[in-house]
């Protein structure tokens, strides 16, 4: 006759082991069940889709949580009966985590490059990188369409070749990005003022080479105090304007069309003519200053501020030297009073207008 009391300790060990194994089995089954309702649910991105939002965050949280549980369970002495299942599940979770992380990296780079290589101008200037991007773009759109049609997480993570698709795409996009960075550096090397612009700003200009007016929003970063260039109906440049509304006529008309789409090629002469035009205005304002009967108070309102400052400093220096040569200290005192009078008159007129 079997006496349970005689085997009490052994039975308690068996019951304890069975209880803990059952607990592990429940945890494992619960993890399988947790994935059933999960979906990637991509959102619309222009003419394709993108991952993001609450759905992808929930999937990432579930992956992290399940990996911790699985690896903890794997090290348990009560998991031997399910060890093969646990190892396979851990492998699936690890692969899925890698794939999702890489997928999001690919998406970030693709979203940055897509508008760049949508430009015909960029495609013509970077044909090799453009072709590589097109290859990735084709695979990306097919993958995202497949996910949109069946967003079930359990089906998405088992898409055939998913690992190769996202990892190969990222490798190609890295090559494209390296080529793009080299291209931007070459443009900055040809026109150093492009270093004042960020990559997206420079790309905005380079992707619209047929429209010289695209440079207008970024002129203040490239050239200090320049608000805009003055274009005529044929897109030829005649003058430049400051944010205060001052206008300087160019000594030479610049035609961006002659550069055949190379922005840096027509910005170089713009820079050269800019300097020559400012010098020309300073020379003319200097001559106007010395005209018989010319009043300084009127003169300062006629010419651009930069010309007024330059000529004023030249005149101050030459007149101070002349006063010292003629009368020494006494001459300087007279000159000092003259300067004070000019300043006081200008201030008074300013307050009367205000």
């Amino acid at each position: 006759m079997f006496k349970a009391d005689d085997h009490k300790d052994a039975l308690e060990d068996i019951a304890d082991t069975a209880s803990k194994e059952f607990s592990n089995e429940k945890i494992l089954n619960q993890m399988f069940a947790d994935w059933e309702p999960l979906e990637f649910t991509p959102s619309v991105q222009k003419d394709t889709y993108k991952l993001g939002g609450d759905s992808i965050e929930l999937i990432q949280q579930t992956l992290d949580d399940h990996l911790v549980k699985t690896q903890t369970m794997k090290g348990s002495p009560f998991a031997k009966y399910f060890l093969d299942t646990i190892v396979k599940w851990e492998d699936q979770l690890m692969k899925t985590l890698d794939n999702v992380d890489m997928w999001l990296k690919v998406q970030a780079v693709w979203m940055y490059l897509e508008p760049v290589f949508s430009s015909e101008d960029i495609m013509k200037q970077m044909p090799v990188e453009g072709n590589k991007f097109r290859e990735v773009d084709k695979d990306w759109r097919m993958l995202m369409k497949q996910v949109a049609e069946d967003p079930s997480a359990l089906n998405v993570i088992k898409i055939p070749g998913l690992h190769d698709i996202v990892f190969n795409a990222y490798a190609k996009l890295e090559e494209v990005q390296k080529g793009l960075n080299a291209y931007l550096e070459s443009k900055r090397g040809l026109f150093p003022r492009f270093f004042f612009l960020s990559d997206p700003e420079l790309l905005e200009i380079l992707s619209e080479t047929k429209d010289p007016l695209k440079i207008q929003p970024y002129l203040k970063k490239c050239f200090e105090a320049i608000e805009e260039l003055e274009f005529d109906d044929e897109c030829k440049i005649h003058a430049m304007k400051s944010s205060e509304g001052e206008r300087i006529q160019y000594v030479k008309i610049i035609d961006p069309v002659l550069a055949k789409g190379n922005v840096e090629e027509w910005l170089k002469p713009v820079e050269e003519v800019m300097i020559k035009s400012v010098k020309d205005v300073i020379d003319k304002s200097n001559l106007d200053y010395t005209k018989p009967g010319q009043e300084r108070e009127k003169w300062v309102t006629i010419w651009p501020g930069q010309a007024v400052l330059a000529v004023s400093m030249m005149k101050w220096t030459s007149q101070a030297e002349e006063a010292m040569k003629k009368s020494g200290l006494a001459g300087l005192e007279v000159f000092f009073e003259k300067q004070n009078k000019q300043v006081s008159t200008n201030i008074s007129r300013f307050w009367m207008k205000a």
Side-chain angles (χ1 to χ4, degrees):
M1 182 176 177
F2 180 79
K3 294 181 179 181
D5 288 342
D6 295 341
H7 304 280
K8 182 180 178 181
D9 292 341
L11 290 173
E12 285 179 350
D13 288 343
I14 292 172
D16 184 55
T17 299
S19 174
K20 289 178 179 177
E21 286 181 346
F22 179 62
S23 177
N24 282 335
E25 184 179 20
K26 284 199 301 183
I27 293 173
L28 194 57
N29 289 334
Q30 184 59 51
M31 285 193 288
F32 295 153
D34 288 345
W35 279 87
E36 288 291 341
L38 294 182
E39 292 186 346
F40 276 79
T41 318
S43 59
V44 177
Q45 171 71 24
K46 292 185 179 179
D47 54 347
T48 183
Y49 304 90
K50 74 169 186 175
L51 300 179
D54 295 338
S55 61
I56 197 67
E57 287 184 12
L58 181 57
I59 287 172
Q60 289 177 309
Q61 289 172 5
T62 303
L63 278 169
D64 292 337
D65 181 47
H66 284 191
L67 265 173
V68 172
K69 288 180 179 178
T70 303
Q71 289 169 348
T72 302
M73 192 189 308
K74 182 182 175 183
S76 170
F78 306 102
K80 293 180 180 179
Y81 184 77
F82 314 102
L83 191 58
D84 289 344
T85 304
I86 292 171
V87 170
K88 288 179 181 178
W89 180 240
E90 180 190 27
D91 184 57
Q92 181 67 64
L93 290 174
M94 290 293 293
K95 286 180 179 178
T96 301
L97 183 63
D98 288 344
N99 288 342
V100 170
D101 287 346
M102 184 56 69
W103 200 335
L104 293 174
K105 287 181 181 179
V106 170
Q107 177 172 273
V109 180
W110 178 86
M111 290 178 66
Y112 171 70
L113 294 176
E114 194 273 335
V116 175
F117 288 96
S118 294
S119 165
E120 293 182 7
D121 292 335
I122 295 293
M123 290 295 289
K124 288 178 182 178
Q125 296 176 66
M126 303 182 65
V128 176
E129 288 79 7
N131 289 332
K132 285 183 181 178
F133 180 79
R134 279 177 175 167
E135 292 174 8
V136 174
D137 185 62
K138 180 181 176 182
D139 292 339
W140 170 263
R141 292 177 186 275
M142 289 176 61
L143 175 61
M144 295 309 296
K145 182 181 178 182
Q146 187 174 352
V147 174
E149 291 172 351
D150 183 7
S152 170
L154 287 174
N155 292 335
V156 170
I157 64 177
K158 294 176 183 176
I159 290 176
L162 177 60
H163 180 274
D164 291 340
I165 292 172
V166 293
F167 275 80
N168 288 340
Y170 189 71
K172 288 180 181 178
L173 288 179
E174 275 196 316
E175 292 177 8
V176 172
Q177 207 159 20
K178 285 181 181 178
L180 180 61
N181 291 338
Y183 168 72
L184 294 178
E185 287 304 302
S186 69
K187 291 295 182 181
R188 288 183 170 116
L190 293 170
F191 189 67
R193 287 182 180 269
F194 280 156
F195 279 105
F196 295 124
L197 301 178
S198 66
D199 288 353
E201 290 170 337
L202 182 53
L203 284 169
E204 175 71 19
I205 296 170
L206 298 176
S207 62
E208 296 288 349
T209 57
K210 294 179 182 177
D211 186 4
L213 294 174
K214 288 289 182 179
I215 191 70
Q216 295 282 40
Y218 308 110
L219 278 171
K220 286 190 287 187
K221 288 191 174 184
C222 292
F223 302 100
E224 187 177 1
I226 304 300
E227 181 72 17
E228 62 179 17
L229 298 174
E230 186 179 287
F231 290 84
D232 62 18
D233 294 338
E234 297 178 350
C235 279
K236 294 181 180 179
I237 304 168
H238 290 258
M240 59 184 175
K241 296 179 180 178
S242 71
S243 56
E244 293 79 19
E246 293 180 340
R247 179 182 181 276
I248 290 184
Q249 179 71 35
Y250 274 4
V251 295
K252 176 183 176 182
I253 295 175
I254 305 296
D255 187 359
V257 176
L258 299 177
K260 297 179 180 179
N262 295 314
V263 182
E264 69 281 1
E265 291 300 324
W266 63 263
L267 280 176
K268 285 180 182 177
V270 164
E271 184 178 23
E272 293 169 0
V273 173
M274 186 182 292
I275 296 170
K276 292 178 181 178
S277 299
V278 171
K279 182 178 183 298
D280 180 64
V281 169
I282 291 173
D283 288 341
K284 289 178 179 177
S285 63
N286 186 33
L287 290 173
D288 187 46
Y289 189 92
T290 56
K291 280 183 180 179
Q294 178 64 278
E295 296 180 4
R296 176 181 168 81
E297 291 77 13
K298 181 180 179 182
W299 174 81
V300 297
T301 64
I302 298 174
W303 297 96
Q306 187 173 350
V308 169
L309 289 172
V311 173
S312 295
M313 286 188 283
M314 287 190 294
K315 294 302 178 184
W316 184 92
T317 303
S318 61
Q319 289 174 7
E321 288 179 350
E322 185 179 352
M324 285 189 288
K325 288 178 181 178
K326 283 185 177 181
S327 308
L329 180 60
L332 277 178
E333 290 176 346
V334 173
F335 181 64
F336 177 69
E337 290 300 323
K338 178 183 176 182
Q339 296 298 307
N340 278 340
K341 183 179 179 181
Q342 286 181 344
V343 172
S344 299
T345 302
N346 289 336
I347 291 174
S348 298
R349 291 191 177 186
F350 170 79
W351 284 112
M352 287 176 65
K353 288 181 179 180

